[in-house]
Amino acid sequence: MPEPLLTQSVIAFVWDFDRTLIAGDMQAPIFEAFDLDEGEFWAEVDALVGYHAARGEMVDRDMAHLIHLLTYVRTGKLPGLSNDMLRELGARLRPVSGMPDFMAATRSRVSEIPEFRREGITVEHYVVSTGIRPMIEGTVFRQHLDGIWANTFIEAAAPPGFLDTSPTSGAAAGITQIGMPMGDTAKTRAIFEINKGVNVDPSLDVHAPMAESRRRVPLRNMIYVADGASDVPAFSILNAGGGKTFGVAVEGADDAARVEQLAAQGRIQGMAVGDFRPGSPAYVWLMDGLEQIGYEIVEERRQALAQVPPAAD
C-alpha cells in the first residue's frame, strides 16, 4: 500500500536574484557608494581567469567576482567594506515590478482555495544566488523569504591556535575572506537541501539516502525562476524531477535573447519579461503553476487515502 503523502504539502518557489528579482547586478550600489567604475570592475573580472592562467594559476570563474572584490577591499579601493555595510547597501536595491507583493500573493492564493486549506498546503520562497548573501538580507525581500543560499564573507578569520585562546573583540577592517561559496553547481545542492528538508532540520545529511515519500518538498512541488546560464544545472534537475522552470528577462535585447536561447534549448518550460504584477504573463504563468501543483497534491492525497482499507467490523 502506498504511503499517504501527509507531509509533502509545501510548494516551494526558488528564485535567482540578479536580473530576476532586481533589474541589474546587486553589486551596483557598492560601486556607487565608493565612486568606482562598475564597468571597469566587471571587465577585470572577465579577464581574471586568463590573467591567472597565464601565471600557471587556476581561478574558478564563478568565484572571480568575489576574489576581485576582496582584492579591491585589500588594496583600499573599497576601504572598510563590511558585512553590515553590505546589508545597508542591499537596502538600496529596488525590486522588479510586482515584487515582493507577488510572494505574498502566492501565500494568499493557497489560503483562498478550500481544497488547499483542507490539505494544509503552504507556499515557501527561497533565493538561490551566486550573489552576496548579506546584500540580499538587506533588501525588502528578506521578510518574505524562508531561506537564502548565496556567497558569504568572513571579516575576522580564526587565527592558528584559536581553540586555546580567548576570543578577541574589536572592529574588523572589513571583509577578508570568502566564507561560503555559491557557484552554478552549488545551486543544485541548495535544491536538494530544500528537497530533503535540511534547511529546517540541520541534523539531516543532504547526501544520505532518503525515500521520495519522506522528502519534505518533492522536486515536482518546486518552481524555479531565473534568468541565465548559471541556472542551467538547476533547470536540468527540476525538469528531470517533474518541477516547473521559468525564465525571466529584464527589459532589454540582451536579456531577452539569453532567455529565448534557454527556451530554444528546452531548458525552461515558460518565459516572460520579469514583471510580476497581477495580469502580467509572468504572474499568470506562475500562479497557474502554483495551482497545478496544489491540485496535484490534493489528488495524490485522495488516491493514497482511497487505498487505505476500511476498518474491520
Side-chain angles (χ1 to χ4, degrees):
M1 180 183 68
E3 183 176 342
L5 306 179
L6 299 180
T7 60
Q8 297 180 315
S9 58
V10 175
I11 301 172
F13 281 84
V14 183
W15 303 88
D16 184 28
F17 195 79
D18 290 0
R19 294 186 171 86
T20 299
L21 295 178
I22 62 171
D25 295 318
M26 69 172 68
Q27 294 87 350
I30 300 175
F31 303 112
E32 292 171 3
F34 288 89
D35 195 24
L36 295 174
D37 186 334
E38 181 180 2
E40 180 180 348
F41 174 84
W42 288 114
E44 291 172 351
V45 168
D46 290 340
L48 201 63
V49 172
Y51 174 91
H52 286 285
R55 290 157 176 75
E57 301 164 343
M58 297 179 65
V59 170
D60 187 320
R61 189 170 297 279
D62 291 343
M63 297 295 105
H65 69 291
L66 303 176
I67 293 168
H68 209 45
L69 194 72
L70 289 172
T71 299
Y72 267 49
V73 175
R74 188 175 62 254
T75 57
K77 283 184 168 289
L78 294 172
L81 183 64
S82 66
N83 284 315
D84 283 344
M85 189 180 298
L86 287 169
R87 292 185 187 93
E88 292 170 3
L89 292 171
R92 301 184 186 183
L93 296 171
R94 294 292 170 260
V96 295
S97 297
M99 282 292 181
D101 293 345
F102 175 83
M103 293 180 175
T106 60
R107 301 183 202 269
S108 296
R109 178 66 64 91
V110 297
S111 70
E112 294 166 355
I113 298 175
E115 298 96 322
F116 294 1
R117 287 201 310 272
R118 184 181 67 243
E119 300 298 344
I121 295 173
T122 58
V123 176
E124 295 176 353
H125 290 276
Y126 298 96
V127 162
V128 177
S129 168
T130 55
I132 301 171
R133 177 175 175 131
M135 294 198 75
I136 299 170
E137 290 173 339
T139 67
V140 295
F141 291 101
R142 185 65 188 94
Q143 62 182 322
H144 296 275
L145 297 176
D146 297 278
I148 300 171
W149 281 260
N151 295 289
T152 66
F153 291 113
I154 293 170
E155 295 182 8
F162 75 94
L163 290 175
D164 300 320
T165 60
S166 300
T168 58
S169 59
I175 55 175
T176 60
Q177 298 180 19
I178 298 171
M180 178 179 291
M182 178 62 64
D184 297 7
T185 54
K187 287 188 171 187
T188 64
R189 178 188 173 101
I191 286 173
F192 283 112
E193 289 184 354
I194 297 168
N195 170 235
K196 292 186 174 183
V198 176
N199 56 308
V200 297
D201 185 355
S203 69
L204 297 172
D205 182 353
V206 71
H207 299 297
M210 181 183 291
E212 291 295 328
S213 62
R214 296 291 185 183
R215 300 189 180 205
R216 183 172 182 269
V217 187
L219 295 178
R220 64 182 179 275
N221 288 11
M222 293 187 192
I223 302 175
Y224 192 92
V225 188
D227 77 303
S230 70
D231 303 289
V232 167
F235 283 143
S236 297
I237 285 174
L238 265 296
N239 285 332
K244 299 186 184 299
T245 53
F246 190 74
V248 295
V250 176
E251 294 280 5
D254 291 344
D255 284 322
R258 183 173 62 251
V259 177
E260 287 170 0
Q261 184 178 33
L262 291 172
Q265 294 170 345
R267 299 188 186 277
I268 53 177
Q269 299 165 18
M271 61 174 287
V273 171
D275 178 347
F276 301 92
R277 290 173 290 187
S280 71
Y283 184 102
V284 172
W285 196 98
L286 292 171
M287 282 295 189
D288 283 350
L290 170 69
E291 292 191 18
Q292 287 173 19
I293 295 172
Y295 282 114
E296 286 168 2
I297 293 172
V298 171
E299 178 59 18
E300 287 169 349
R301 296 280 185 86
R302 187 195 67 77
Q303 292 183 15
L305 293 174
Q307 297 183 51
V308 176
D313 293 333

